[in-house]
Amino acid sequence: MILAVLFANAEGNILIERFHGVPAEERLHWRSFLVKLGADNLKGVKNEELLVACHKSVYIVYTILGDVSIYVVGKDEYDELALSEVIFTITSAVKDVCGKPPTERRFLDKYGRICLCLDEIVWKGYLENTEKERIKRLIRLKPPTEF
Amino acid sequence: MAQQLVKKDDDRDDEAEYSPFMGIEKGAVLQEARVFNDPQLDARRCSQVITKLLYLLNQGETFTKTEATEVFFAVTKLFQSRDMGLRRMVYLMIKEISPSADEVIIVTSSLMKDMNSKIDMYRANAIRVLCRITDGTLLAQIERYLKQAIVDKNPVVASAALVSGIHLLQTNPEIVKRWSNEVQEAVQSRAALVQFHALGLLHQIRQNDRLAVSKLVTSLTKGTVRSPLAQCLLIRYTSQVIRESGNNTQSGDRPFYDYLESCLRHKSEMVIFEAARAITELNGVTSRELTPAITVLQLFLSSSKPVLRFAAVRTLNKVAMTHPTSVTNCNIDMESLISDQNRSIATLAITTLLKTGNESSVDRLMKQITNFMSDIADEFKIVVVEAIRSLCQKFPLKYRSLMNFLSNILREEGGFEYKKAIVDSIVILIREIPDAKETGLLHLCEFIEDCEFTYLSTQILHFLGIEGPKTSDPSRYIRFIYNRVHLENATVRAGAVSTLAKFGAAVDELKPRIFVLLRRCLFDSDDEVRDRATLYLNTLGGDGSVVETDKAVKDFLFGPFDIPLVNLETSLKNYEPSEEAFDIDSVPKEVKSQSLAEKKAPGKKPTGLGAPPSGPPSTADAYQKILSSIPEFANFGNLFKSSAPVELTEAETEYAVNVVKHIFDRHVVFQYNCTNTIPEQLLENVIVIVDSSEADEFAEVFSKPLKSLPYDSPGQIFVAFEKPEGAPTLGKFSNVLKFIVREVDPTTGEAEDDGVEDEYQLEDLEIVSADYTLKVAVSNFRNAWESMGPDCERVDEYGLGPRESLAEAVNTVINLLGLQPCEGTEVVPPNSRSHTCLLSGVYIGNVKVLVRLSFGLDGPKDVAMKLTVRSDDETVSDAIHEIVASG
């Protein structure tokens, strides 16, 4: 299960968050934990360089893309490698929508599109789509090219 | 929790910096949402409003029920638009807003229409939305379409239906299970993702059917799996099948190992890693099987991708716990990871190295770790400290450098948990390595000179009080302890006073000087500190001359406190202030039976300060004390054995009763521990009526009833039987609890005057052979065996019949005999076909017994056993055989 996907800006404010199977009372804890993790480790990290951490049986893979930091949390079958697949899909889709690693402004400009991409990539805690070209078509309600 | 965007500084007043959502406000957006109702829909505008609504929801903004309903109704109007982009947004919005059950109906028909649409993408999205908001009844209506969708030519439609199936399986399993044929077909799909989703769903549908999973794995491992993600799933299911199939096949090969091994050459890293990990986690994996997996993991250690490095080092770290030598080859790569930017990777590398390193590499490693410690977080430091502790236990000769390291990090900044981990480690090393004691104690002394944690200071003071007096020069610690009396808070001061007194009591030469210090504490500002000082001065021998402290006084002051604090607390709460003083002897000493949760908790080895060596007395001592306090048992002689408590009632019944069997040479005493769990009842004259008609050779000689059994305050009843001297007499006893019950008013706590007689049936109880043997370990079995000699040896062979496994057979025999397994021989390596188990113990009459059990598998499941017994008395050797023969 992919427990959470979270986007935050440089100040650590949440831009988008999606939780799956995480009780509401634990979300605040996760939110602040992830933001702190990013603040401690993401300084000076190159775009899309993946960082990884684990806490008990839960894995976290996170990275930075332009002004935005992205966190993915998973457990069981979504271990660090599966999550890196998920985050890779997310970063490629975001780059695709924004044209390049986004500034915060650009990210917010493309907010609706990014929400749609996310909706195609993660479906209630499961990875659904992995290719950016396909996602790009799907959010416009176009069938995938290989079909 | 709304996270407002931070307002930007004025000097960065560049338009590009402004958020498009700056100043966004829920009320205004809801107003804007009215455009959804326009007869001429502006698709672009509507999309923008939906984006704003999404933004609000993502910021944690909540809509009231009315607001949500309004938005939902308005959004459903947008189904009229033919704009694709807007339609996609509408699907997302409906999912986000998750309408309530009574509203769903509004949108169902539109979605059903989309589900049958010619436009594939409408179908896919409509399925996803419907499955998100649907309930069981609607699902039955759309099931036909979903089944079709699973085998749809368009992979997006198929995936949408499959992933929906995965979710629906949680809520409507019986419906989804009917799709198994379609899902099976989808597993063969050419589209990689469809295959992945289908495999996941198929496995979930069949997960309780081992045979079906095994068939699935067998067929897929032979075929081709396109998606690396699906391949990973398949590897996981394969390891599950291997785990469940248990032993090797007859030829000794592990089924599916070749498949796992072939995955190590896959082109996707994810698959390679998954296979490597699956191999390392195989039950009883051999070094030969491990080698190829370790090799690929070693390559990953130097990968440029942090995720791969992390995955590899995490797996190797686990392997190092069971097969340290197999990981040694990776040590060089691992050492370079100590400086990895990612601290999680560095910590895992260090702890792995600490497990695989040999004695000669310790010093070099410690040097590297010292540099590393300064820039990691406390939680990582704790892991390192724990690894160093076990390293020191492994190589005691290296204690100097390890202790030095611990004392250095103790001086640096750190939080409570970290400091506690260090202190615990030092304490353990002091206890286990005698040479490390004096330096260790001095390190601890130095630490409390500047320690901000009261808990740690008091624990260290307590430990100093136990260990300090036993050192060559106890006086050197006094200064550190007495400084606490001047510099610390009241809790630490009180602890310091007790520690000083312990030195005074234990070291006679120090006594006069300790007395001077204790007298100064009489003027302390805190009551507790003054009280302690007064108590110690008065009991330790008044004038403080160099005299030996009376043993009774020592026991009183520092001896173990053998009353469970819980019981003391309950008794004190029940005590009503009156003329009669509280009598500590009235407090029951029986430890209340543990709650279920506690029982389930795995037994932890006591570590660190938590368990001082002079802890509470062992249960055997406690039983001996209780029994000796009852005059009728005085002439029973020495207690041979007390069994573990046997529960005679089910959990959570009105009365909880368990029994401990005390075995004497000519007697058996049953100690019934009773707890009344009903607050509205007071039980009186509680007795156990024991029927021994199935235990002919036992004769009841005495019964000690319980006068009263109030709520939640355990009490004991004893019943004693006489039996033939020294003989391992067996028997079965049935028990009934009889009492007079008086109703208690829960508000006042007063009991009614009149009571009613009642009884309560308890489970039966048996005296078995294992009750006559005592588990006593020998340090070197071989020596003990040789020195015992073959004079009274008895050998025989037994067929144990078909057994679940060799391990199960070994366990049964150990439990039957009630003897102590030696040298870890109770553990049967997986897949072995023969095993030797060594047992030692004492048989009733204090006769030493050694047993050698040789097990062998005879045919597929039949177990044969050769039993060799040596003892000082041949009748005892025969008796042990008799136990096995009749068991």
Side-chain angles (χ1 to χ4, degrees), chain B residues 168-445:
Chain B
L168 290 169
L169 195 61
Q170 316 297 327
T171 49
N172 297 287
E174 65 299 333
I175 295 185
V176 180
K177 281 182 182 163
R178 295 202 290 252
W179 308 348
S180 134
N181 286 341
E182 286 77 10
V183 181
Q184 176 95 47
E185 198 180 324
V187 171
Q188 306 301 334
S189 166
R190 292 168 61 94
L193 275 175
V194 173
Q195 196 176 39
F196 166 58
H197 292 137
L199 182 57
L201 178 56
L202 192 61
H203 179 256
Q204 283 198 21
I205 290 176
R206 297 186 174 168
Q207 59 187 343
N208 296 324
D209 181 351
R210 273 198 207 181
L211 191 64
V213 174
S214 172
K215 272 186 187 167
L216 176 72
V217 166
T218 312
S219 74
L220 286 176
T221 47
K222 285 179 189 149
T224 47
V225 178
R226 285 186 178 77
S227 132
L229 284 164
Q231 188 85 306
C232 285
L233 285 186
L234 184 57
I235 292 172
R236 282 174 197 209
Y237 304 155
T238 309
S239 7
Q240 186 192 344
V241 171
I242 298 178
R243 234 188 342 267
E244 282 167 2
S245 68
N247 291 339
N248 287 351
T249 53
Q250 290 301 326
S251 63
D253 286 340
R254 201 188 287 274
F256 299 115
Y257 176 80
D258 290 342
Y259 165 70
L260 292 181
E261 209 253 353
S262 72
C263 288
L264 293 176
R265 294 183 291 277
H266 198 273
K267 57 180 187 300
S268 159
E269 284 158 342
M270 186 164 41
V271 175
I272 301 175
F273 172 73
E274 198 62 52
R277 183 162 59 186
I279 292 176
T280 62
E281 285 171 2
L282 289 175
N283 260 343
V285 63
T286 62
S287 311
R288 194 169 57 88
E289 287 170 323
L290 264 179
T291 313
I294 302 275
T295 312
V296 298
L297 290 172
Q298 186 176 5
L299 287 176
F300 283 169
L301 286 180
S302 43
S303 160
S304 58
K305 298 178 186 166
V307 175
L308 272 183
R309 296 200 299 276
F310 176 80
V313 74
R314 184 165 71 84
T315 309
L316 288 171
N317 186 286
K318 271 196 201 149
V319 180
M321 287 183 202
T322 48
H323 297 80
T325 45
S326 302
V327 185
T328 328
N329 281 346
C330 309
N331 279 3
I332 295 179
D333 304 85
M334 206 83 81
E335 280 187 30
S336 60
L337 290 183
I338 296 181
S339 52
D340 197 289
Q341 264 198 332
N342 189 315
R343 301 288 85 181
S344 301
I345 296 177
T347 314
L348 281 168
I350 287 220
T351 47
T352 315
L353 282 168
L354 288 174
K355 281 176 205 138
T356 58
N358 50 30
E359 197 153 357
S360 60
S361 64
V362 169
D363 291 323
R364 188 162 48 91
L365 211 52
M366 295 316 294
K367 215 170 175 181
Q368 275 175 298
I369 298 177
T370 314
N371 302 330
F372 160 83
M373 287 299 267
S374 56
D375 51 30
I376 55 168
D378 273 10
E379 70 222 62
F380 293 135
K381 289 182 182 166
I382 293 173
V383 180
V384 175
V385 168
E386 278 162 6
I388 287 178
R389 179 198 303 169
S390 25
L391 186 70
C392 197
Q393 285 167 310
K394 201 160 121 199
F395 304 123
L397 287 178
K398 286 285 163 196
Y399 81 88
R400 239 178 265 277
S401 63
L402 295 166
M403 185 69 98
N404 254 339
F405 175 80
L406 290 174
S407 71
N408 282 337
I409 54 174
L410 195 54
R411 277 189 218 113
E412 284 157 18
E413 287 292 299
F416 171 74
E417 291 297 335
Y418 174 44
K419 291 284 159 114
K420 182 166 178 299
I422 306 174
V423 170
D424 280 351
S425 300
I426 295 183
V427 167
I428 287 174
L429 298 188
I430 291 175
R431 279 205 202 126
E432 295 193 1
I433 307 171
D435 289 344
K437 189 187 216 171
E438 305 229 347
T439 38
L441 286 179
L442 279 176
H443 289 315
L444 292 178
C445 282

Side-chain angles (χ1 to χ4, degrees), chain A residues 32-89:
Chain A
S32 40
F33 173 75
L34 291 176
V35 168
K36 183 172 179 302
L37 191 69
D40 289 346
N41 299 297
L42 281 173
K43 214 168 272 175
V45 169
K46 284 193 293 248
N47 270 337
E48 291 181 74
E49 182 176 336
L50 296 188
L51 279 82
V52 59
C54 71
H55 179 64
K56 292 178 184 157
S57 57
V58 173
Y59 306 98
I60 303 148
V61 175
Y62 56 112
T63 189
I64 195 152
L65 187 67
D67 288 353
V68 181
S69 45
I70 306 170
Y71 307 83
V72 188
V73 184
K75 67 169 184 186
D76 300 333
E77 67 270 38
Y78 287 96
D79 60 10
E80 62 272 39
L81 287 181
L83 290 179
S84 70
E85 196 77 3
V86 176
I87 207 165
F88 173 73
T89 313

Side-chain angles (χ1 to χ4, degrees), chain A residues 13-14 18 31 50 52 59 77 79-81 105 108 111 119-120 123-124 127-128 138 141 147, chain B residues 1 6 15-16 18-19 58-59 88 95 120-121 125 128 167 197 236 273 277 306 311 314 342:
Chain A
N13 296 319
I14 307 300
R18 286 267 188 293
R31 202 177 288 138
L50 296 188
V52 59
Y59 306 98
E77 67 270 38
D79 60 10
E80 62 272 39
L81 287 181
R105 163 76 205 231
L108 291 172
Y111 196 81
D119 189 44
E120 294 291 353
W123 205 86
K124 274 175 78 179
L127 179 60
E128 189 164 353
L138 292 181
L141 281 184
F147 171 62
Chain B
M1 76 95 225
V6 173
E15 202 181 15
Y18 278 121
S19 154
N58 275 325
Q59 293 293 300
R88 182 65 188 82
K95 281 193 278 185
D120 288 345
M121 301 318 290
N125 279 289
R128 298 202 299 179
H167 292 297
H197 292 137
R236 282 174 197 209
F273 172 73
R277 183 162 59 186
R314 184 165 71 84
N342 189 315

Side-chain angles (χ1 to χ4, degrees), chain A residues 116, chain B residues 50 75-79 84-96 107 129:
Chain A
L116 289 178
Chain B
I50 292 185
V75 168
T76 57
K77 300 258 169 61
L78 300 177
F79 271 105
M84 291 287 214
L86 179 59
R87 179 63 67 88
R88 182 65 188 82
M89 283 298 229
V90 169
Y91 291 132
L92 176 57
M93 193 62 210
I94 294 175
K95 281 193 278 185
E96 286 295 306
V107 80
V129 179

Side-chain angles (χ1 to χ4, degrees), chain B residues 700-765:
Chain B
E700 186 172 328
V701 287
F702 172 71
S703 169
K704 184 173 182 289
L706 190 59
K707 226 172 132 197
S708 112
L709 184 64
Y711 162 65
D712 204 24
S713 173
Q716 291 109 28
I717 300 164
F718 295 89
V719 182
F721 286 85
E722 200 170 26
K723 67 169 194 63
E725 185 170 353
T729 323
L730 310 182
K732 190 173 177 183
F733 303 80
S734 57
N735 310 289
V736 179
L737 193 69
K738 269 195 144 182
F739 44 81
I740 294 169
V741 56
R742 286 168 61 190
E743 296 292 318
V744 175
D745 184 340
T747 45
T748 59
E750 276 175 29
E752 279 177 17
D753 292 341
D754 298 334
V756 189
E757 224 174 87
D758 200 357
E759 59 180 49
Y760 189 80
Q761 182 70 43
L762 304 174
E763 302 274 333
D764 290 351
L765 152 74

Side-chain angles (χ1 to χ4, degrees), chain B residues 631-700:
Chain B
E632 283 81 359
F633 302 152
N635 59 353
F636 284 6
N638 279 337
L639 175 63
F640 172 69
K641 178 179 182 177
S642 299
S643 74
V646 182
E647 296 296 335
L648 297 184
T649 50
E650 309 237 324
E652 292 170 25
T653 45
E654 300 96 308
Y655 315 111
V657 181
N658 65 37
V659 65
V660 177
K661 300 174 268 184
H662 300 293
I663 311 288
F664 293 86
D665 210 26
R666 286 179 50 217
H667 296 88
V668 172
V669 176
F670 296 146
Q671 174 187 334
Y672 296 90
N673 301 312
C674 312
T675 312
N676 166 12
T677 64
I678 309 175
E680 296 82 17
Q681 285 191 359
L682 169 68
L683 308 189
E684 287 184 334
N685 294 342
V686 193
I687 48 169
V688 178
I689 308 288
V690 186
D691 174 4
S692 58
S693 54
E694 287 181 68
D696 309 340
E697 294 181 75
F698 291 87
E700 186 172 328

